[in-house]
Amino acid sequence: MPTPAIKVLALASNVRRRCYRITCYSSRGITNNVANEEVISKPLQSARPFKEIPGPTSFPLIGTLLNYLPVLGKYDFDRLHRNGMLKLQEFGPLVREEIVPGTNIVWVFTPQDIETVFRCEGRYPFRRSHLAVDKYRKDRPDLYNSGGLLPTNGDKWYELRSTFQKALSRPQNIRLYVQGSDHILQQFMDVIKSRGNLSTEDFVPYLSHVFLELVGLVAFDAELEGLTEAGLQPDSLASQLIDAAETANGCIVALDNSLQLWRWIETPLYKKLKRSHEIMERVAVTLVNRKKSLIESQRLTENKQPSLLEIYLSDPKISVKDIVGMAVDMILAGMDTTSFSSSFALYHLATNPNCQKALQQECRELLPTRESPVTLEVLDKAQYTRAVIKESLRLNPVSVGVGRILPEDVILSGYHVPKGTNIVTQNQVACRLSEHFPNPNSFIPERWIKSSSLFQKPHPFLLLPFGHGPRSCIARRLAEQNMHMLFLKIFRNYDVKWCGGTLDCRSLPNKPDQPLLLSFKSVDY
């Protein structure tokens, strides 16, 4: 598993760029903006020097690592959101830190500065991540054309992203999965019922199994049987896939930010990643090729809307190798984020009974019986359900923020920040400030409902749980749809109570810092 220090450096080193800018500066002056974007003119010379940005004292050889020592230090690598709040309170809305000597990280807290960062990303979003995955796949040209969407950059990334996003961006293609997803979620209700008392058992693994099934429905047009009695066992294929994804994600962060000896020799950690990736790869290759053979033997009927996998496999411009890579990426990125996000939302509802009652009322209105399916019409009307998920993501997003390295100089809070600087937005901290949200630490879904007296439109760059711009989560629509459906099903069928202590998160990504202990009581109405 990656060390906490490596996790912070990984967040800071993720690099993305965009195709429009507002307050970016170069040696030639202010960078031109794309049409209709007003440039805020402010001479670079008038900005305060980069070295004057306040922050923790950095010492030779050890940087600010003393602040992160267990017991003695005031910061904790596993609690990035707490670190951020402390730094904001001590140093203000822009903080410069050298955790490792010579490597500056700028922590950005105001939504105005966060917007500027995103507007100054450059022509193509660029990120430095999943480097070992990139090597692994490029070493296997018989299976892959590239490293896939996660590590690839530049024109090749844009080509891949455009290829897959074209179909994913069409709402009708996402809504196609509602019926199949409802079937899977009904199985999940049966699992909860059959388990009886879950109050002493961590519920997160169950969420991982249901989201694996939902990912499999899209990636492979297949059920992976992860919700059967056999599929829930530790040695099942579904459990192996979940473990493989979790292990691989842990290895990726460490391999990206270590001495990269794995580029020349297979280090123990690289071998661990390799074994995990091979598990996911074997399943992806088998199921994608099975579907390909089915399409070739049975032509798609004209009156049937094709699935995403059928669209990709039927397009002669899309290589099966790229589809396999995309399928593996969906397993890698499609379970942890939704499982953890759903965990926090369940916690907030279980500890806020009035909000749970409001959600249950909506569920009863939209789903007359406990077995009623979640349909497109139901999803369109599920206003409070959407507000619940949005409010939970405000309090507990997937990550504390987003890392960027900008290709141009920029002015943030009046300070000159040179190009090439590691910048990390602090959206999670900003979303917990009273200047942006009244009662910021309270779970209030009504603040997102326009007809509510509590509604207040926040700055658009505060809540960014899926990232921002062309390199934001490609499967955002699917993730939101799945979570909305899950909560409609659960709270139509059950009263949920919290059986643990105060839940917080550990980084990176944000996950519950203790077992998710919930009790489920079947409703009679």
Side-chain angles (χ1 to χ4, degrees):
M1 295 296 291
T3 65
I6 284 174
K7 293 180 182 180
V8 173
L9 295 176
L11 178 63
S13 65
N14 282 343
V15 184
R16 301 177 185 176
R17 298 175 179 174
R18 287 199 66 180
C19 59
Y20 54 93
R21 307 189 278 275
I22 57 173
T23 54
C24 305
Y25 301 82
S26 69
S27 59
R28 298 178 301 277
I30 301 174
T31 303
N32 288 333
N33 216 20
V34 169
N36 300 323
E37 292 274 358
E38 181 182 358
V39 176
I40 304 172
S41 178
K42 186 176 183 180
L44 189 58
Q45 292 79 5
S46 68
R48 299 181 67 178
F50 179 67
K51 291 294 184 182
E52 289 186 8
I53 299 175
T57 301
S58 177
F59 296 96
L61 301 179
I62 59 172
T64 63
L65 287 172
L66 283 176
N67 290 322
Y68 294 87
L69 289 177
V71 182
L72 299 176
K74 57 184 175 180
Y75 304 141
D76 184 342
F77 279 121
D78 276 340
R79 307 283 186 171
L80 296 182
H81 60 302
R82 294 183 186 177
N83 300 346
M85 188 64 77
L86 288 173
K87 291 169 189 174
L88 172 65
Q89 292 168 352
E90 184 174 359
F91 302 110
L94 195 71
V95 180
R96 182 176 66 87
E97 183 174 14
E98 289 184 57
I99 297 176
V100 176
T103 301
N104 285 289
I105 298 176
V106 173
W107 308 100
V108 180
F109 293 87
T110 71
Q112 293 79 17
D113 281 346
I114 292 172
E115 179 177 6
T116 299
V117 169
F118 280 110
R119 302 294 192 194
C120 296
E121 291 176 308
R123 180 169 177 78
Y124 292 127
F126 180 89
R127 61 182 288 168
R128 178 188 176 274
S129 72
H130 296 75
L131 304 180
V133 171
D134 191 48
K135 169 184 164 46
Y136 173 86
R137 295 185 185 180
K138 287 180 177 177
D139 286 346
R140 287 155 183 77
D142 56 318
L143 292 176
Y144 304 101
N145 285 328
S146 69
L149 271 178
L150 297 174
T152 304
N153 292 295
D155 292 342
K156 181 60 178 176
W157 165 81
Y158 184 78
E159 180 184 344
L160 274 174
R161 175 84 183 205
S162 301
T163 296
F164 289 108
Q165 187 168 334
K166 185 178 181 181
L168 273 166
S169 63
R170 294 173 181 162
Q172 66 269 27
N173 291 338
I174 306 304
R175 291 177 164 227
L176 173 68
Y177 294 96
V178 168
Q179 185 175 354
S181 298
D182 182 80
H183 173 69
I184 290 170
L185 291 170
Q186 190 57 52
Q187 292 181 51
F188 190 50
M189 297 305 100
D190 295 338
V191 168
I192 296 175
K193 182 178 179 180
S194 67
R195 283 301 188 266
N197 183 19
L198 285 167
S199 60
T200 60
E201 192 173 356
D202 188 2
F203 195 63
V204 173
Y206 290 100
L207 291 171
S208 296
H209 274 78
V210 71
F211 281 110
L212 173 65
E213 285 298 308
L214 292 169
V215 166
L217 180 66
V218 177
F220 308 117
D221 285 354
E223 293 188 17
L224 301 175
E225 300 184 352
L227 296 174
T228 64
E229 189 61 38
L232 290 167
Q233 299 305 309
D235 60 347
S236 70
L237 176 62
S239 295
Q240 290 178 43
L241 282 171
I242 292 168
D243 290 342
E246 182 177 354
T247 300
N249 281 323
C251 293
I252 286 164
V253 178
L255 290 166
D256 278 358
N257 297 279
S258 63
L259 290 175
Q260 296 179 7
L261 299 176
W262 48 265
R263 291 190 179 276
W264 299 279
I265 60 173
E266 291 195 358
T267 61
L269 195 59
Y270 183 83
K271 289 179 179 179
K272 194 175 181 181
L273 170 67
K274 182 179 176 180
R275 288 192 297 270
S276 298
H277 198 290
E278 285 172 346
I279 293 172
M280 297 180 286
E281 178 184 283
R282 283 195 295 269
V283 173
V285 169
T286 299
L287 295 180
V288 168
N289 282 318
R290 181 185 300 172
K291 184 68 177 184
K292 181 174 182 290
S293 298
L294 202 61
I295 292 174
E296 290 171 349
S297 62
Q298 302 174 4
R299 282 190 173 183
L300 298 177
T301 56
E302 292 183 1
N303 59 352
K304 175 183 174 293
Q305 182 181 344
S307 68
L308 286 169
L309 182 56
E310 289 169 341
I311 290 172
Y312 297 146
L313 286 171
S314 300
D315 189 338
K317 298 178 182 178
I318 304 178
S319 168
V320 173
K321 295 179 183 180
D322 289 332
I323 296 172
V324 167
M326 178 67 169
V328 176
D329 288 345
M330 291 185 73
I331 297 173
L332 266 176
M335 284 185 300
D336 284 356
T337 51
T338 46
S339 296
F340 296 152
S341 295
S342 297
S343 297
F344 289 116
L346 285 168
Y347 166 75
H348 289 304
L349 287 165
T351 54
N352 290 274
N354 290 336
C355 297
Q356 184 173 164
K357 287 178 182 177
L359 176 58
Q360 288 173 323
Q361 180 179 345
E362 177 172 271
C363 293
R364 289 195 301 271
E365 292 173 355
L366 297 177
L367 303 171
T369 70
R370 295 174 59 190
E371 294 77 24
S372 295
V374 177
T375 62
L376 293 175
E377 183 180 6
V378 167
L379 285 172
D380 287 341
K381 294 179 179 179
Q383 176 181 234
Y384 197 81
T385 305
R386 290 192 295 273
V388 161
I389 299 302
K390 199 167 186 178
E391 177 69 349
S392 183
L393 289 171
R394 179 185 71 83
L395 291 169
N396 298 103
V398 173
S399 176
V400 68
V402 182
R404 294 289 189 270
I405 298 178
L406 302 183
E408 301 284 355
D409 292 4
V410 67
I411 293 178
L412 300 176
S413 292
Y415 291 93
H416 169 214
V417 179
K419 65 180 181 180
T421 303
N422 290 323
I423 299 174
V424 179
T425 65
Q426 291 282 300
N427 296 78
Q428 184 175 5
V429 174
C431 281
R432 294 258 189 165
L433 299 178
S434 58
E435 63 197 78
H436 304 311
F437 295 95
N439 301 312
N441 293 314
S442 298
F443 181 73
I444 308 174
E446 288 79 6
R447 71 170 89 238
W448 300 104
I449 298 175
K450 291 183 179 180
S451 60
S452 170
S453 61
L454 298 174
F455 174 77
Q456 184 177 357
K457 190 174 182 180
H459 192 286
F461 282 81
L462 277 170
L463 183 63
L464 302 173
F466 295 94
H468 181 78
R471 201 144 195 174
S472 61
C473 176
I474 193 172
R476 172 180 180 168
R477 291 177 185 269
L478 279 167
E480 289 180 317
Q481 179 172 284
N482 287 338
M483 285 192 287
H484 295 159
M485 293 184 69
L486 172 67
F487 280 76
L488 283 164
K489 298 294 281 190
I490 286 179
F491 289 95
R492 179 59 185 88
N493 282 269
Y494 295 100
D495 288 321
V496 182
K497 292 187 177 179
W498 177 243
C499 303
T502 301
L503 189 68
D504 198 0
C505 62
R506 290 190 178 276
S507 313
L508 181 74
N510 285 336
K511 53 187 161 188
D513 66 350
Q514 60 180 276
L516 190 68
L517 303 179
L518 301 165
S519 69
F520 293 83
K521 181 182 177 182
S522 181
V523 298
D524 297 325
Y525 41 80

